[in-house]
Amino acid sequence: MSEHRGLDLVALRKFLSESDVPLDGELRADLISGGKSNLTYAIFDDSSRWVLRRPPTAGLTPSAHDVAREFRITSALQGTDVPVAATVALCEDDSVMGAPFTVVEHVTGQVIRTKSDLEALSGDDIDACTGELVRVLGALHNVDYDAVGLGALGRPDGYVARQVTLWASQWGRVKTTDSADVDRLHAALVESIPQQSESSIVHGDYRIDNTILAAGDVSTVAAVVDWELSTLGDPLTDVALMCVYRHPALDLVLGEPAAWTSPRLPSADDLAQRYTVASGRELVHWNFYLALANFKLAVIAEGINHRYRVGATVGEGFDKAGDAVPEFIAAGLRALKGQTV
């Protein structure tokens, strides 16, 4: 079917059949998402429904869009307390469809992406939903990554220091103007890096819209999705980013009124407290982690601003991303005030 870019249903059917996946009737497909992100298709026959992901058909960079990595992570998490889609098949042979691709079972549910998606939910619904989101994040961080076969996923030692260096380097690449406050926050972060930290699987981008909630029951997470940034690192970086995502300036970064910034949700402090209760993990050096998360989001916002200015963004709503940069930098500097290391 030529209308499906990067998808050959004849080749896919042959591959699935040879992988002992039961098939019933003709394969059909609908594009779920495309563009510069991974191409995601709903695949279905007369009895079953799956989701196929593959890299975009152009503009590939080494290690980008690593669908095989995502597949291995979610495969390892099967049977843990972390809900993920059931994995079906991984193809790393480019000759089949021109690039690696993965197939997982379709998860029936709902995605809460914007503030309007929250309108039908009661206050009790939202409270139960956020409580479950925090519980699932704690469950992820408590997975024994060696026991599930993910000990080689990343290098947890020195992870936080590398994050500070990485985001400072990224700022140097994308900045559209110099900023004394950015330099000040970076220097303060370097001075405040904790000497010791825990290690766990980290998701890297955890908030409500990177989960599928159960259909008709927002108090249950049916699956955590978007594992492209997952690695082994410090669990508190995940928690802090989840909390900092509650900043209203995230709307400017995403280019839409995000559900996660809604005032109807618990505050960042409340989320942090819920995480401590759910995971049994204390938030040691918490101000540092909040400052680092704000620094990261400021750099991401500036990257979007840079691409917008050179005409490289796709879609609308990104013209205000640069306005978020001073908001996150100021929040990061405030977080570090009075920190003891």
Side-chain angles (χ1 to χ4, degrees), residues 137-160:
L137 185 62
L140 172 65
H141 295 160
N142 286 334
V143 169
D144 183 334
Y145 52 79
D146 285 318
V148 299
L150 291 177
L153 182 62
R155 294 182 296 138
D157 291 345
Y159 173 78
V160 172

Side-chain angles (χ1 to χ4, degrees), residues 3-21:
E3 69 267 24
H4 295 314
R5 176 169 46 98
L7 182 64
D8 181 339
L9 289 177
V10 174
L12 175 61
R13 181 181 183 84
K14 182 174 184 290
F15 170 76
L16 291 177
S17 178
E18 292 174 351
S19 301
D20 297 322
V21 177

Side-chain angles (χ1 to χ4, degrees), residues 40-84:
T40 305
Y41 288 98
I43 308 292
F44 49 97
D45 63 9
D46 293 342
S47 301
S48 303
R49 188 176 177 91
W50 305 275
V51 172
L52 180 147
R53 279 163 68 79
R54 58 149 291 161
T57 55
L60 291 181
T61 56
S63 79
H65 314 286
D66 193 345
V67 294
R69 176 186 176 87
E70 183 175 27
F71 187 89
R72 291 190 178 98
I73 293 168
T74 52
S75 294
L77 291 173
Q78 306 289 320
T80 69
D81 289 335
V82 183
V84 290

Side-chain angles (χ1 to χ4, degrees), residues 124-308:
D124 287 344
D125 286 338
I126 290 174
D127 186 67
C129 177
T130 50
E132 174 68 356
L133 288 167
V134 171
R135 184 199 67 78
V136 168
L137 185 62
L140 172 65
H141 295 160
N142 286 334
V143 169
D144 183 334
Y145 52 79
D146 285 318
V148 299
L150 291 177
L153 182 62
R155 294 182 296 138
D157 291 345
Y159 173 78
V160 172
R162 290 196 304 276
Q163 284 284 294
V164 173
T165 300
L166 169 69
W167 290 104
S169 174
Q170 183 68 2
W171 171 262
R173 283 193 289 269
V174 303
K175 66 179 179 180
T176 56
T177 184
D178 289 326
S179 169
D181 283 343
V182 169
D183 295 342
R184 202 151 56 91
L185 178 55
H186 174 232
L189 285 168
V190 170
E191 291 296 318
S192 306
I193 293 171
Q195 294 304 303
Q196 291 184 321
S197 63
E198 291 189 75
S199 62
S200 74
I201 304 168
V202 296
H203 180 271
D205 195 18
Y206 192 80
R207 57 177 188 260
I208 192 171
D209 52 306
N210 281 335
T211 68
I212 300 172
L213 304 176
D217 180 13
V218 296
S219 69
T220 299
V221 175
V224 180
V225 297
D226 290 342
W227 292 88
E228 291 97 330
L229 300 177
S230 183
T231 188
L232 299 185
D234 188 324
L236 297 192
T237 60
D238 250 358
V239 188
L241 192 59
M242 174 185 70
C243 291
V244 169
Y245 275 148
R246 291 283 291 114
H247 196 297
L250 180 66
D251 290 358
L252 303 176
V253 178
L254 298 181
E256 63 182 7
W260 199 240
T261 65
S262 170
R264 296 188 65 201
L265 271 62
S267 68
D269 287 345
D270 189 1
L271 290 173
Q273 178 59 33
R274 290 180 186 220
Y275 175 85
T276 295
V277 173
S279 68
R281 183 173 286 107
E282 293 298 323
L283 304 181
V284 183
H285 305 296
W286 183 232
N287 285 346
F288 167 84
Y289 290 97
L290 289 176
L292 176 58
N294 276 289
F295 184 57
K296 175 179 177 177
L297 275 180
V299 177
I300 290 171
E302 182 69 350
I304 295 169
N305 181 46
H306 172 79
R307 291 192 294 276
Y308 170 76

